[in-house]
Amino acid sequence: MSHYADPTDSKYTKVYKEQTPAMLKAFIDFDQAVFASEGPELSLKVRQLIAVAVAITTQCPYCIEAHTKDALAAGATEAEIAESAWVSTAIRAGGGYTHGRMALKFADHEHTA
């Protein structure tokens, strides 16, 4: 294997189709409901911008590509995509900050134990 993310990786979807078709259908139905053109409260553009930020946070290249394209198709601008990326970056950095505090807490516990 030369690298992890490869455009041909989608060929492995057949395993899901063959081995777990009910779970795959449930996932597809759920995904389609979440990203339906009309949502109960949030516009499709906002939902796709949230998806872009989450995809960046989870670092899924396939999700970043798909949801960026879908956000643009839903009317998002490059500026909105950029802002979503910064929101993701802030959340990810905040996680590092708070996990650092957790490490300090564990260190403190070891010193007092």
Side-chain angles (χ1 to χ4, degrees):
M1 179 165 45
S2 62
H3 56 282
Y4 295 105
D6 187 299
T8 63
D9 287 347
S10 63
K11 68 184 176 187
Y12 297 105
T13 302
K14 71 179 182 180
V15 177
Y16 287 132
K17 289 179 182 177
E18 293 168 1
Q19 302 299 323
T20 55
M23 290 179 202
L24 178 61
K25 181 182 180 328
F27 171 74
I28 290 170
D29 290 347
F30 172 69
D31 193 66
Q32 288 174 344
V34 169
F35 294 107
S37 59
E38 295 296 322
E41 299 298 329
L42 300 175
S43 69
L44 179 58
K45 180 177 93 168
V46 168
R47 284 180 277 136
Q48 288 295 350
L49 288 168
I50 292 169
V52 169
V54 171
I56 292 168
T57 301
T58 61
Q59 300 177 331
C60 174
Y62 307 109
C63 297
I64 293 168
E65 178 182 13
H67 289 291
T68 298
K69 289 177 179 178
D70 290 346
L72 292 168
T77 64
E78 282 188 340
E80 290 170 321
I81 301 272
E83 189 171 344
S84 295
W86 282 117
V87 168
S88 172
T89 302
I91 295 299
R92 187 95 177 177
Y97 173 74
T98 59
H99 281 94
R101 292 188 318 198
M102 186 181 297
L104 294 170
K105 177 175 134 181
F106 293 138
D108 184 49
H109 177 72
E110 288 299 313
H111 287 330
T112 59

